[in-house]
Amino acid sequence: MTIDNITILKNQPLAPYAHTQVGGVVDYLAIPKTRAELQALLTWAKATNQPIHIFGRLSNLVVRNGGLRGVVILLHELRDIQVQGNTITAEAGADLILVTEVALEHGLAGMEWGAGIPGSVGGAVFMNAGAYGGQTDMVATSVTALMPDGSIQTFAADALNFGYRQSVFQANGGVIIEATFTLQPDAPAAIQARMDDNNFRRANKQPLNYPSNGSVFKRPTGYFAGKLIMDAGLQGKRVGGVEVSKKHAGFMVNVANGTGNDYEDLIHFVQATVEEKYGVALETEVRIIGER
């Protein structure tokens, strides 16, 4: 069906849109191409009392087999990127990797940590993503969001409440529309070298040949999640089609048509085993949602 010329798909599986290639069926799925379309979809969903779920690239998310009720809105078509001086302003659906490449083209340093992260700008802000000594909160200076009351608000850096894999948007219900990053001029060759180094390390350590959500667990205080899982002898442990990576124990990979429930069950098994062996409670970095 269509709402204001926006196509809304009914009973649509999320798996084709997810990095893990898992995800149950959702009642409605829509992919707006403009902010006006996003607002129209939200108006329709509220008028019809539909639960609303808004995601970017589904790169840090596990959706259970039972899927989601209501309407799922994916923002990956909202991907405009603008450069002005030392700042880059990108819409929420823009690929983080593409933003790093735009920064490189303009001789702007500070985004190199995101060179190989397969997520969106909105997801990076929402989760305060980071890697290799860099993090979103080091460069994000303002974020514009659509709030639950329908207003559009811009949050300065000191109002974003960034923490380890946390931001204000996990609490206030705001839908990130765009983010501005303030960077520093540097020689493109130097920026490229740092990006190459990060990608080299990523390729050598991470199982990039299988679908995954990246690091499954947050780093527990005083430990490394991957080392705890490796020391517990869990590499290669499989539930259904999902296994703990043999290359990097902090990753879980979809090796044989795994499901969202497989991911969740394996996560719980790893958590229980590590806590039993070492007394450490692993907290998930990925989000798990939906019905079983």
Side-chain angles (χ1 to χ4, degrees), residues 21 27 42-43 46 103 131 154 166 245 250 275 282 287-288:
Q21 297 178 14
D27 291 346
L42 293 175
T43 299
K46 290 177 181 178
T154 297
Q166 291 183 334
S245 169
E275 185 156 19
L282 293 178
R287 298 166 62 207
I288 305 170

Side-chain angles (χ1 to χ4, degrees), residues 166-181:
Q166 291 183 334
S167 74
V168 68
F169 302 104
Q170 295 177 24
N172 69 10
V175 177
I176 298 162
I177 295 175
E178 69 177 21
T180 296
F181 305 101

Side-chain angles (χ1 to χ4, degrees), residues 1-11 27-31 41 44-45 48 50 70-71:
M1 66 179 184
T2 59
I3 301 293
D4 292 344
N5 294 319
I6 308 164
T7 299
I8 301 176
L9 303 174
K10 192 172 183 180
N11 298 325
D27 291 346
Y28 298 99
L29 176 70
I31 305 173
L41 285 167
W44 168 75
T48 54
Q50 298 282 348
V71 57

Side-chain angles (χ1 to χ4, degrees), residues 19 24 48 60 72 85 112 114 127 133 138 146 155 219 226 245 280 286 291:
H19 275 273
T48 54
N60 201 41
V72 169
E112 294 89 326
M127 290 296 296
M138 296 179 178
L146 180 64
F155 294 75
R219 180 182 297 177
S245 169
V280 178
V286 300
E291 298 178 1

Side-chain angles (χ1 to χ4, degrees), residues 13 16 30 34 40 47 53 58 65-66 78 93 119 133 138 156 165 182 197 205 228 255 263 267 283 286:
T34 66
H53 313 274
L58 295 169
N65 294 6
L78 297 178
M138 296 179 178
R165 301 296 176 260
T182 299
D197 180 61
K205 294 181 179 179
L228 289 169
V255 296
Y263 266 97
I267 285 169
E283 183 181 352
V286 300

Side-chain angles (χ1 to χ4, degrees), residues 3 20 25 28 41 46 79 90 94 147 155 164 181 213 223 229 237 263 275:
I3 301 293
T20 53
V25 171
Y28 298 99
L41 285 167
K46 290 177 181 178
R79 54 192 180 192
M147 304 308 294
F155 294 75
Y164 178 54
F181 305 101
N213 272 325
Y223 300 91
I229 297 166
K237 170 63 181 178
Y263 266 97
E275 185 156 19

